[in-house]
Amino acid sequence: MAEKDLYEQLVAAADDIYGGARPGTRALHAKGAWCEGTFTATPEAAALSSAFHFGGHPVEALVRFSNAQGDPEADDAERESRGLAVKLRGPGGEEADILATITPAFVARTPEDFLELLDARRPDPETGQPDFERLGAYLGAHPEAQTAVQGTVGLPPIASFATAVFYSPHTFHLVGSEGERTAVRLRWIPDAGEERLADDEAKARGRDYLYDDLDRRLDGDGTIGFELRFQLAADGDPLDDPTALWPDEREFVSAGRLEIGSRIDDPERDDHIDVFDPLRLPDGVEPSDDPILHARRQAYSVSAYRRWGRERGPVPE
Ligand code: HEM
């Protein structure tokens, strides 16, 4: 068999941490719920980017909330990250994906570092435990991982998907109609405010409490809202390092509103899958050179083909 490339190795390492590859599921963010909604951008966003979804007309949003780990039966009380993936669709078939998690920074600067970290977390077949010595050595040699570590295992679980701020740790360049460029990071701010639970309170709410909560909030005419905010870079802010936060004093611009109205059935069936890809960017938004951002497309593609039950091929459209 051909040697695994970097992206296959990343997916294989994630599989090993969460109990082995499961056909039909994502290697990470395996447990999730799909929703539908609408995104409407502000005039301030339109002034910074000519992208279709920042034009100010309401656009359709396909949304998936998730637990970050690879076990589809994960307990919602676990201290780990959570995801919010949004696919915006324009009337002419344009698409823009925005992926975010509750962790403000990513844990590694490069995919090679991330693989080393995942490798150290692989459970020993004898003990079922990670190699704590190797893990400790990795974390000692990589202080840049600490912001993400503290933002996940260092915090108790969120009370609801509707009460979490979701961040993208990558920098994107917005391009305006005259070609002017602005370096930004994105975050979703919940209308309902931020709330976390004490660990035992989360445990007491049951394994799927985040999903029961979604159903409750979206029952009848209920909606869940988020404001999209751009954080603008200042001179000298790191543009290609997802482990390094920008100072809170940076300027923020309110970029639009996401209004989620209903939970829907998993739209992936038979021959159809919906892949969220952080490089699915329309004209008017360009990626930075962040190596993690660029590695994600291929890693997601490996995982997507697997859940599709097909041999790996070109990145899914
Ligand atoms: C090299 C670094 C990373 C690797 C290897 C990786 C790997 C993966 C994989 C394999 C999936 C499943 C994809 C699929 O089957 O469609 C996934 C999903 C996801 N990842 Fe990452 N990831 C990385 C970094 C990040 C970062 C920095 C974020 C922060 C925004 C993030 C947020 C998400 C989200 C929200 C999903 C769920 C998408 C969905 O609901 O379909 N990931 N990741």
Side-chain angles (χ1 to χ4, degrees):
M1 213 172 104
E3 216 167 88
K4 287 189 168 71
D5 71 13
L6 173 65
Y7 313 105
E8 290 164 338
Q9 290 180 53
L10 284 161
V11 167
D15 286 342
D16 286 352
I17 292 170
Y18 296 111
R22 296 175 181 83
T25 64
R26 288 164 173 70
L28 289 168
H29 294 262
K31 180 180 182 182
W34 296 83
C35 298
E36 270 176 353
T38 306
F39 175 76
T40 313
T42 59
E44 290 75 19
L48 292 171
S49 167
S50 60
F52 78 92
H53 56 305
F54 294 135
H57 304 288
V59 292
E60 275 175 34
L62 177 67
V63 174
R64 187 171 179 270
F65 290 104
S66 56
N67 297 48
Q69 59 163 289
D71 180 356
E73 308 290 320
D75 189 327
D76 293 348
E78 284 185 38
R79 290 186 172 206
E80 50 145 351
S81 199
R82 309 277 186 279
L84 167 56
V86 180
K87 187 182 284 293
L88 301 173
R89 291 188 163 130
E94 312 92 325
E95 284 194 357
D97 292 355
I98 303 176
L99 286 85
T101 71
I102 61 170
T103 315
F106 192 58
V107 72
R109 281 195 186 117
T110 65
E112 291 80 7
D113 280 357
F114 189 41
L115 180 60
E116 203 179 322
L117 175 60
L118 292 177
D119 266 338
R121 289 184 55 199
R122 273 186 152 111
D124 179 294
E126 306 262 294
T127 61
Q129 294 296 318
D131 183 340
F132 286 114
E133 208 173 301
R134 213 175 139 201
L135 198 53
Y138 178 91
L139 293 174
H142 293 274
E144 74 278 10
Q146 277 314 311
T147 310
V149 171
Q150 293 315 318
T152 43
V153 293
L155 291 176
I158 56 173
S160 160
F161 285 121
T163 63
V165 179
F166 289 88
Y167 306 83
S168 166
H170 306 297
T171 305
F172 294 93
H173 297 280
L174 302 178
V175 185
S177 50
E178 306 293 319
E180 68 282 16
R181 288 161 66 82
T182 312
V184 300
R185 288 181 175 175
L186 314 179
R187 61 182 68 173
W188 295 104
I189 311 294
D191 290 355
E194 277 188 89
E195 191 188 353
R196 289 183 183 255
L197 297 176
D199 296 281
D200 51 355
E201 166 65 10
K203 200 85 197 152
R205 291 197 181 183
R207 198 189 62 175
D208 301 320
Y209 77 84
L210 288 176
Y211 298 86
D212 298 340
D213 171 84
L214 264 188
D215 285 335
R216 258 194 313 276
R217 288 179 190 258
L218 294 175
D219 189 37
D221 292 337
T223 58
I224 294 174
F226 290 90
E227 178 200 350
L228 181 67
R229 262 185 218 166
F230 297 146
Q231 185 181 23
L232 273 51
D235 283 348
D237 283 342
L239 303 184
D240 302 330
D241 181 354
T243 67
L245 299 180
W246 296 345
D248 281 342
E249 308 80 72
R250 294 289 174 266
E251 185 183 348
F252 285 91
V253 171
S254 180
R257 277 193 52 77
L258 175 65
E259 188 102 350
I260 299 170
S262 54
R263 190 164 164 183
I264 57 167
D265 289 340
D266 187 339
E268 300 196 325
R269 62 176 61 89
D270 305 327
D271 213 26
H272 174 81
I273 58 170
D274 281 305
V275 183
F276 294 95
D277 172 355
L279 287 182
R280 197 186 312 278
L281 303 170
D283 289 350
V285 186
E286 291 176 1
S288 57
D289 291 332
D290 177 342
I292 291 287
L293 173 59
H294 289 269
R296 289 175 65 192
R297 162 168 273 187
Q298 291 296 340
Y300 289 30
S301 181
V302 171
S303 171
Y305 273 101
R306 198 183 66 202
R307 79 167 180 278
W308 214 3
R310 298 188 179 191
E311 287 296 309
R312 185 174 168 200
V315 171
E317 288 289 309

